[in-house]
Every structure is written in C-alpha cells, then in structure tokens.
Amino acid sequence: MSPDHGPRRSRVITVEPALTQLSKLTASETHRLDRAIVAISVNPELGHQVPGTLLRDYTDEFDGVRVIYFVTALQTITIVAYVEA
C-alpha cells in the first residue's frame, strides 16, 4: 500500500526581475517569502486575479510579503514575476 501524500505542489520558477529583488532581501525576509511561495505552490489560486491579465497577486498580511505570479494552464508550474518582503 502506498503512503498518503499531501497535495501536489506546482514547480515554482522565478524570473529575472524577481531574482534581482530576492538578492536584496535579508535572511528573515527570504524566510517569510519562502513560506508564501510554498503556500502558492500548494494552492496556485491564492490571492486574486489582476484584471485584464493572467497574473495573480497574493499578499500575506501576517508575514508582510507580496508575490505576483502566473500559473501555467495545467497548474504544474508557477512563475513568480515580482516579490516584496
């Protein structure tokens, strides 16, 4: 019998502008942002749709982070375009 696994996570890719932003974050900010990205990878429909685009905007008020991203049609890849922590 196979073990029960948690929800399937999408693969997360960070594009160049977000990578540049990440390089400027402190360790604490990066840790807070990591939690938000894991949450998005488990549930790509978090946040809200940005009108007129394929982008989604997720803000975690508790950790004080914001991620703008889009998800591929099959929801297997989440592409992070912008981060703020």
Side-chain angles (χ1 to χ4, degrees), residues 33-85:
L33 186 61
D34 283 346
R35 289 196 299 251
I37 290 175
V38 167
I40 290 167
S41 74
V42 172
N43 182 4
E45 294 188 20
L46 287 176
H48 65 276
Q49 187 79 33
V50 176
T53 72
L54 297 175
L55 298 172
R56 298 194 67 80
D57 188 343
Y58 172 69
T59 302
D60 182 327
E61 300 293 337
F62 181 77
D63 278 331
V65 299
R66 180 179 181 208
V67 180
I68 297 177
Y69 63 99
F70 63 96
V71 182
T72 59
L74 298 177
Q75 294 192 345
T76 57
I77 300 176
T78 300
I79 300 166
V80 175
Y82 174 85
V83 297
E84 201 176 275

